[in-house]
Amino acid sequence: MLDEDLIVNILSGSPLLETLVLEGFDGYRGIEISSYDESEVDIIKINAPQLKKLKKFEAASSEFDIKLELQLNNWICYVIRCNVKEIILKLSTNKFESESDFKLDQTLFTCSCLTDLTLDLCTCMVIPAGVISWKNLRNLCISYGSLDEELIENILSGSPVLETLELDLCYGYRRLNITSKSLKNLVISKYWNYLNSYDVSTSDADLDGYLDYCIGSEAHIDIDIIEINAPNIQSLRIEQEIDLLKLLLVDVSSLVKANLNYTAPKKVEEEMLKGFIMKLGHVKELKIGILCSQVVSCLQDKGFVFPSNVKFPQVEVTRA
């Protein structure tokens, strides 16, 4: 446990500090770094100097508690006043009664100094209290976040120079409508459908039964389909577990390269991969990774002809 004097001494004695990492963040009881503006409420002063060279701040915890929300948000406010360029938050917890319990400080959502932001929040809601204004943000990664179409639209409209968007095990959205001309790289890494009634750890037999039910049920089919409309992106990666019946590429006409390295429910895996390949026929370089190897073999055994733009850097394939 670090006390207040030690932290102040560390910050005061490190004016050229470029990276600040709080590993196993527990709030550092008694340490709350906040504004020097005495007009603000809930101020707890410490004599922490502004770190003019600070570029990166990271806070990580595998047992984050809602009681530490204020402490974490004060750290965030402090490093933003230092004009930090990159913030990484990796917070895992099962202690929240609801996803709305935890709120990140609004300062984070209106920060003009940030160029890189990673929010690995593990079931926490990424919901700002006001507008989103990331004027200089170029790379955004959100993991384990609940996102709907309106929030995604607010993120995109508030990030005018965003170049790369990575959604890692996010859920709640049914359509990605990305019309931004600045965003060139899109990564979809893992999608677990939290609206489904089955457990992702269930057996293949149980999962197949569930999928049979979904395929024959108009009431459920819409929650197992995601559409991607991104006419300006140039790079697309789809990877890891994709827990969907369909992932439809509506418009990806500007794509130059794509990388597919994912797994899908067995009932739909062949049709999903064929759909991707046919839709991405215009792409200069289409790479198919090792996680798709079994599906590739099955398609090949059934006589499916892979286009010349398809590359198999990790998969053994016999060309016709």
Side-chain angles (χ1 to χ4, degrees):
M1 180 69 65
L2 299 179
D3 62 23
E4 179 176 344
D5 290 337
L6 180 55
I7 290 182
V8 172
N9 288 336
I10 291 173
L11 297 178
S12 299
S14 308
L16 302 181
L17 186 69
E18 295 186 356
T19 300
L20 176 60
V21 178
L22 305 182
E23 188 72 32
F25 178 77
D26 65 359
Y28 302 116
R29 279 189 288 272
I31 303 304
E32 296 183 352
I33 298 178
S34 54
S35 174
Y36 293 116
D37 184 352
E38 294 186 359
S39 65
E40 294 188 13
V41 298
D42 297 329
I43 293 176
I44 297 181
K45 285 187 178 181
I46 74 168
N47 295 318
Q50 182 177 359
L51 301 174
K52 296 182 179 180
K53 298 291 184 178
L54 188 65
K55 296 180 180 179
K56 179 179 179 180
F57 171 73
E58 179 175 348
S61 174
S62 60
E63 297 181 357
F64 189 75
D65 193 292
I66 188 63
K67 296 178 182 178
L68 303 174
E69 176 183 350
L70 178 60
Q71 287 91 333
L72 176 63
N73 279 326
N74 283 332
W75 276 105
I76 291 173
C77 292
Y78 171 69
V79 298
I80 287 176
R81 287 200 306 277
C82 295
N83 293 315
V84 68
K85 299 297 183 184
E86 179 178 4
I87 290 180
I88 300 174
L89 302 180
K90 297 182 177 181
L91 310 175
S92 178
T93 183
N94 57 6
K95 299 180 180 179
F96 297 173
E97 293 183 2
S98 69
E99 292 177 326
S100 60
D101 284 344
F102 176 74
K103 298 292 186 183
L104 290 169
D105 193 273
Q106 178 61 21
T107 304
L108 178 64
F109 296 99
T110 56
C111 175
S112 61
C113 60
L114 278 180
T115 60
D116 298 81
L117 177 61
T118 297
L119 300 176
D120 187 344
L121 298 180
C122 301
T123 76
C124 300
M125 296 283 276
V126 185
I127 298 182
V131 300
I132 294 176
S133 180
W134 287 322
K135 295 181 180 180
N136 293 299
L137 190 68
R138 297 188 179 276
N139 301 294
L140 173 63
C141 176
I142 302 176
S143 298
Y144 296 86
S146 176
L147 305 173
D148 58 23
E149 287 85 352
E150 182 179 359
L151 179 54
I152 293 172
E153 173 60 28
N154 290 339
I155 289 172
L156 294 174
S157 62
S159 309
V161 297
L162 188 66
E163 297 176 356
T164 299
L165 174 63
E166 181 174 353
L167 302 179
D168 177 19
L169 224 171
C170 292
Y171 57 96
Y173 60 91
R174 306 263 53 88
R175 180 181 174 90
L176 286 177
N177 191 39
I178 302 173
T179 57
S180 167
K181 293 185 178 181
S182 67
L183 200 145
K184 302 301 182 184
N185 309 299
L186 176 62
V187 180
I188 306 295
S189 179
K190 298 188 287 291
Y191 188 101
W192 288 358
N193 197 338
Y194 281 71
L195 297 180
N196 284 344
S197 58
Y198 70 88
D199 189 324
V200 294
S201 63
T202 55
S203 67
D204 288 344
D206 291 338
L207 181 55
D208 285 349
Y210 170 78
L211 291 172
D212 284 336
Y213 170 70
C214 280
I215 291 172
S217 171
E218 293 182 359
H220 282 70
I221 196 72
D222 61 330
I223 68 171
D224 291 283
I225 297 175
I226 285 182
E227 296 180 342
I228 297 178
N229 181 53
N232 299 312
I233 64 170
Q234 297 180 2
S235 174
L236 173 65
R237 280 173 32 214
I238 299 174
E239 54 192 25
Q240 304 301 322
E241 302 91 344
I242 302 298
D243 172 34
L244 293 166
L245 295 183
K246 292 183 180 180
L247 180 55
L248 302 177
L249 304 179
V250 178
D251 185 354
V252 287
S253 53
S254 297
L255 268 186
V256 176
K257 59 181 180 179
N259 193 320
L260 307 176
N261 190 27
Y262 67 92
T263 60
K266 291 185 181 298
K267 285 284 186 178
V268 299
E269 59 184 5
E270 292 184 18
E271 288 302 316
M272 184 179 289
L273 184 57
K274 283 198 299 184
F276 285 147
I277 292 173
M278 301 306 293
K279 187 67 177 182
L280 299 174
H282 67 287
V283 174
K284 182 178 180 181
E285 182 179 81
L286 172 55
K287 292 183 179 180
I288 297 181
I290 194 169
L291 292 180
C292 298
S293 57
Q294 290 186 348
V295 185
V296 168
S297 297
C298 290
L299 290 177
Q300 188 177 35
D301 291 343
K302 295 179 180 180
F304 182 79
V305 179
F306 291 91
S308 59
N309 69 326
V310 178
K311 309 297 180 185
F312 304 92
Q314 296 176 305
V315 183
E316 291 186 8
V317 175
T318 304
R319 292 284 189 178

